[in-house]
């Protein structure tokens, strides 16, 4: 063999090695898709976008996944599996809390993926994911039972979902801290939720009402809006048609357009509705004189009552603001920031010297605990849910618990 032939063979071998698929390519695709789905939303991401993020062609991506629905399934499976593994590996409650506090900053988007994007999975796969997450809550509940054997099953489950909400709350904001402090704060907040005394608040809260209109005769416009809010929450704005809404409300297409010219007008009306109701509760909470602690408790009560009575509206405000037109979206985001700022200022008065970033992370954790409990199965049906959420919310706001995560 001549020298030129040997050089040619080496060149061909180099080309084959350079085009060989890396062993972690599938994992890299899943990771890139998870980031894109979380930041842009499933419907706003194409397979070409994911391929470009990984540095491959779209045909190369199809070697690993049959299509975008298959990719979404793998993304959601991976995020849920990580949480399942954390619970399964924990020998006791404190180990789980410490481990999850250290892992959470590295998977900040997990809750967005299984709460918002998993709605786009086929129904049978959604049920599988719900069963998996219910199993996670059961596992955390067993860890809580070992530490607090006096609690019944319903209370253990409520606290378990609250712990999950604390860790999941970081998915819904970008506030951060130095790594060590972030982990310490998350541990402290989750510890406060898991160890919260229940049954101390005897003030009777409102009974849960899915739409908040039970017993009232609604106008046709109101019926359409209520059903639109429910469907947008359950399926996502882009997965719902006006025909779906009309069928649910017992209305024909023309009658819907008489009240709402477009589907987007329905979403705007729903968001305005949510903002008005929350502002009314906030104004009432702030109208009474009292100490900063009393005012904070009234604000907490107002939000608990809003969430418990308007669970679908809460879901829409959490997951669908990005679907608004730009002007309305900016206004809604600004309203959210102002509302959070009010909480942070009040919390600073109750706990002077609290770092503003820690205060924001704490407040979002509390609101997420309330939102999730109001929208989660058996928890949302509890007649005493408002009182129990007052106790959990207060405990997390004050965040009493060990601070050493060493």
């Amino acid at each position: 063999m001549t020298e030129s032939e040997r050089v040619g063979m080496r060149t061909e071998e180099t080309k084959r090695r350079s085009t060989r698929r890396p062993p972690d390519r599938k994992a890299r695709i899943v990771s890139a898709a998870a980031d894109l789905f979380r930041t842009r939303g499933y419907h706003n991401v194409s397979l070409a976008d994911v391929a470009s993020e990984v540095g491959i062609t779209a045909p190369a991506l199809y070697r690993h996944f049959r299509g975008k629905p298959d990719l979404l399934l793998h993304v959601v499976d991976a995020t849920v599996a990580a949480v399942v593994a954390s619970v399964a590996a924990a020998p006791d409650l404190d180990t789980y809390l410490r481990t999850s506090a250290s892992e959470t900053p590295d998977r900040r988007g997990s809750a967005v993926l299984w709460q918002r994007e998993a709605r786009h999975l086929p129904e049978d796969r959604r049920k599988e994911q719900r069963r998996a997450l219910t199993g996670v809550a059961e596992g955390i509940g067993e860890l809580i039972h070992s530490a607090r054997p006096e609690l019944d099953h319903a209370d253990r489950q409520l606290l378990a979902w609250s712990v999950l909400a604390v860790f999941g709350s970081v998915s819904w904001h970008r506030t951060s801290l130095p790594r060590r402090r972030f982990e310490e704060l998350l541990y402290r907040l989750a510890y406060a939720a898991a160890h919260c005394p229940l049954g101390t608040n005897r003030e009777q809260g409102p009974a849960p009402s899915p739409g908040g209109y039970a017993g009232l005769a609604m106008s046709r416009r109101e019926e359409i809006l209520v059903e639109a809010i429910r469907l947008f929450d359950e399926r996502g704005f882009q997965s719902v048609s006006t025909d779906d809404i009309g069928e649910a409300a017992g209305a024909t297409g023309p009658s819907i357009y008489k009240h709402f010219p477009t589907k987007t007008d329905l979403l705007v009306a729903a968001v305005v509705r949510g903002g008005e109701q929350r502002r009314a509760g906030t104004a009432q909470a702030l109208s009474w004189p009292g100490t900063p602690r009393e005012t904070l408790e009234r604000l907490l009560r107002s939000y608990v009552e809003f969430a418990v009575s308007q669970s679908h509206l809460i879901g829409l405000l959490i997951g669908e603001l990005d679907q608004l037109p730009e002007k309305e979206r900016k206004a809604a985001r600004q309203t959210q920031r102002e509302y959070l700022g009010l909480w942070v200022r009040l919390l600073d008065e109750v706990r002077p010297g609290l770092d503003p970033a820690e205060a924001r992370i704490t407040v979002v954790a509390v609101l997420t605990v309330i939102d999730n409990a109001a929208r989660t199965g058996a928890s949302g049906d509890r007649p005493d849910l408002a009182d129990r959420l007052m106790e959990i919310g207060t405990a997390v706001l004050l965040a009493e618990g060990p601070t050493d995560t060493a």
Side-chain angles (χ1 to χ4, degrees), residues 2-298:
T2 66
E3 180 63 25
S4 61
E5 288 174 331
R6 284 195 292 271
V7 170
M9 290 180 64
R10 287 197 295 270
T11 301
E12 288 301 317
E13 177 64 19
T14 299
K15 288 181 179 179
R16 283 195 296 271
R17 289 178 179 176
S18 65
T19 57
R20 190 175 298 158
R21 281 176 279 173
D24 65 340
R25 176 172 287 177
K26 187 170 184 177
R28 290 168 56 198
I29 293 171
V30 170
S31 177
D35 288 340
L36 290 172
F37 292 159
R38 181 175 64 249
T39 55
R40 301 186 195 174
Y42 174 74
H43 285 293
N44 299 321
V45 175
S46 68
L47 288 182
D49 294 330
V50 178
S52 175
E53 194 73 15
V54 180
I56 61 176
T57 64
L61 191 149
Y62 276 103
R63 297 192 187 108
H64 300 279
F65 303 98
R66 293 188 300 273
K68 195 166 75 163
D70 184 43
L71 179 55
L72 175 63
L73 176 61
H74 279 77
V75 166
V76 176
D77 278 347
T79 59
V80 174
V83 181
V84 170
S86 295
V87 177
D92 55 59
L93 177 61
D94 202 62
T95 300
Y96 167 71
L97 297 179
R98 293 178 187 276
T99 301
S100 290
S102 68
E103 294 174 346
T104 293
D106 293 324
R107 55 188 192 209
R108 291 193 71 163
S110 296
V112 171
L113 292 169
W114 71 59
Q115 287 187 20
R116 188 185 70 193
E117 304 308 330
R119 294 176 300 176
H120 306 303
L121 293 173
E123 178 60 25
D124 60 332
R125 303 314 296 261
R126 288 203 303 272
K127 288 181 178 178
E128 287 181 17
Q129 296 300 339
R130 284 196 291 267
R131 283 194 295 268
L133 287 172
T134 299
V136 168
E138 288 285 349
I140 298 172
E142 287 303 310
L143 297 176
I144 292 174
H145 180 54
S146 297
R148 304 182 62 186
E150 75 281 3
L151 295 178
D152 63 21
H153 181 264
D155 284 348
R156 294 197 303 269
Q157 288 305 107
L158 178 59
L159 294 183
W161 283 110
S162 297
V163 169
L164 276 174
V166 168
F167 291 130
S169 66
V170 302
S171 294
W172 303 102
H173 64 81
R174 298 181 180 178
T175 306
S176 194
L177 291 165
R179 181 64 181 238
R180 180 67 172 176
R181 284 176 55 200
F182 202 1
E183 293 177 11
E184 289 174 349
L185 177 59
L186 290 173
Y187 170 72
R188 191 163 67 247
L189 298 177
Y191 181 97
H195 291 273
C196 172
L198 297 178
T200 61
N201 190 324
R202 299 297 180 184
E203 180 180 346
Q204 183 61 44
S209 176
Y213 303 99
L216 295 179
M218 291 186 284
S219 66
R220 174 59 75 188
R221 183 182 191 278
E222 193 65 26
E223 289 174 342
I224 293 169
L225 183 57
V226 168
E227 290 302 328
I229 290 170
R230 179 181 65 80
L231 291 172
F232 291 160
D233 175 33
E234 292 177 349
R235 304 183 195 173
F237 174 76
Q238 293 198 33
S239 297
V240 176
S241 68
T242 52
D243 287 340
D244 295 330
I245 297 168
E247 181 179 357
T252 61
S255 67
I256 291 180
Y257 296 130
K258 183 168 61 177
H259 300 288
F260 302 96
T262 69
K263 189 175 71 166
T264 298
D265 291 316
L266 271 163
L267 180 61
V268 171
V271 172
V272 169
R273 162 74 55 81
E276 289 174 346
Q277 293 190 359
R278 192 171 62 184
R279 277 193 296 274
T282 300
Q284 185 174 13
L286 300 179
S287 66
W288 294 87
T291 65
R293 172 71 179 268
E294 291 169 340
T295 304
L296 184 61
E297 289 178 350
R298 287 197 301 270

